[in-house]
Amino acid sequence: MSDTVDKVSDTLVLYDIPGKPGSRSWSPNVWKTRLILNYKAIPYRTEWISFPDIEATFKAIGIKPSTTKESEDTHYTCPSIIDYTVTPEEKVTDSNVIALYLDKKYGSNEKYGPSLFPEDNAEAQFAFIAQFKAILQPLVALMLGCIPAMIEDPRGVNYYHEKRGKKYGPLSEFVPAGSAERQRAWKGLQEGLDTLAAAYDKNKEGGGEYAFGKAVTYVDIVVAATFLSTRYVPVDRDGPDVKCVWDGFKSWNSGRWEKFMEKFEDHLQVV
């Protein structure tokens, strides 16, 4: 894509990394933002950007890095948004920061629905999310080596192999089929989902369907976005009946994860 985008008035632009047809939007972090936009029916459009083009493009249009880690290079990442509905336009990056921005602008609004951070409980929700990320680390083991197969463009595939290979080694050999590492990852995922189920059950008001209260909050969005990525990234290391990691766990915990996702099924548009 070019280094600039057309400034369409009254439009919010979401930057995403293209996958192959059938899994066009696949990143769990981007789905956090996309689900908020879809769930609240906020008008937007997607700009697709290949992995190797993210940094140069964002520098050119003035989107700041998401994070700067002492041990790594500066990170320019998706999701990032440009909100052209305000003057001057707002440029926001990092899924959590975007969530707070969108909720401040559109939360508790009759047109866009209730706030995703009711009673200003962002701190409690981010603490829950940090625990969620920790207990579901096995998903990284199960999915990382399979992600290149669904990236749309060859340049993006090569870039992903290069960047992730420096940290994890050859991705074709990362947690391979039939390995003890893969068995441990599936066992760890089951334990993590048991812990997640118990955390949801503590919210009696939500009947096990919601992390806080009795309506969707940002935690639920994050959990759903993670589950969506397990649907869209194909795997070929767990037998013929497991075409994606979601196939392997969707019926666990008495089928509650399939039921959990039902409330999001009408909000999976990619526009």
Side-chain angles (χ1 to χ4, degrees):
M1 61 167 288
S2 65
D3 288 345
T4 60
V5 296
D6 294 332
K7 295 184 178 181
V8 179
S9 61
D10 298 327
T11 299
L12 185 150
V13 174
L14 169 65
Y15 288 88
D16 197 353
I17 303 158
K20 292 179 179 178
S23 55
R24 183 67 167 164
S25 184
W26 59 271
S27 164
N29 288 326
V30 178
W31 267 111
K32 295 171 192 176
T33 300
R34 190 180 295 282
L35 273 179
I36 293 174
L37 295 169
N38 290 345
Y39 196 80
K40 285 184 165 293
I42 300 169
Y44 74 99
R45 64 186 177 90
T46 302
E47 282 285 334
W48 301 100
I49 182 168
S50 179
F51 270 117
D53 297 328
I54 293 173
E55 181 171 348
T57 300
F58 285 4
K59 283 181 176 179
I61 61 180
I63 293 178
K64 295 180 179 179
S66 303
T67 56
T68 303
K69 301 180 181 179
E70 293 182 2
S71 60
E72 300 182 31
D73 296 332
T74 300
H75 286 251
Y76 290 83
T77 62
C78 295
S80 291
I81 64 169
I82 300 182
D83 186 356
Y84 290 113
T85 69
V86 295
T87 304
E89 65 266 20
E90 289 281 354
K91 300 170 183 178
V92 191
T93 191
D94 183 88
S95 54
N96 289 347
V97 179
I98 293 171
L100 291 169
Y101 170 82
L102 293 175
D103 202 67
K104 181 179 181 180
K105 184 174 180 181
Y106 298 100
S108 298
N109 180 299
E110 182 176 345
K111 180 177 180 180
Y112 299 107
S115 170
L116 295 174
F117 296 95
E119 301 177 359
D120 295 323
N121 70 346
E123 184 176 349
Q125 290 203 53
F126 288 137
F128 189 113
I129 290 166
Q131 293 179 326
F132 170 69
K133 289 174 67 175
I135 63 176
L136 290 191
Q137 278 301 304
L139 282 178
V140 176
L142 292 170
M143 295 173 61
L144 185 71
C146 303
I147 288 175
M150 51 73 54
I151 296 174
E152 181 182 52
D153 62 301
R155 290 175 61 245
V157 172
N158 292 338
Y159 181 90
Y160 194 88
H161 274 291
E162 178 185 351
K163 291 295 185 180
R164 297 300 185 270
K166 288 180 180 179
K167 183 175 182 179
Y168 298 103
L171 296 186
S172 60
E173 302 171 13
F174 183 74
V175 192
S179 66
E181 293 94 336
R182 200 155 190 89
Q183 293 177 9
R184 284 195 296 269
W186 278 107
K187 185 175 186 296
L189 177 60
Q190 186 160 27
E191 292 171 351
L193 289 172
D194 289 345
T195 300
L196 181 64
Y200 265 80
D201 287 340
K202 289 180 180 178
N203 177 29
K204 302 301 182 183
E205 185 181 11
E209 283 290 307
Y210 306 98
F212 292 85
K214 53 184 178 181
V216 169
T217 60
Y218 183 54
V219 165
D220 304 314
I221 293 285
V222 170
V223 173
T226 303
F227 288 171
L228 283 173
S229 72
T230 71
R231 284 191 195 180
Y232 295 138
V233 176
V235 297
D236 58 0
R237 306 180 183 191
D238 300 294
D241 296 328
V242 180
K243 294 181 172 58
C244 59
V245 171
W246 173 251
D247 288 342
F249 76 84
K250 63 185 179 182
S251 63
W252 290 359
N253 302 100
S254 302
R256 75 181 297 163
W257 308 122
E258 285 186 294
K259 183 179 180 183
F260 172 84
M261 290 300 295
E262 288 176 359
K263 55 181 158 298
F264 297 102
E265 295 298 335
D266 292 334
H267 306 288
L268 305 183
Q269 302 88 348
V270 177
V271 297

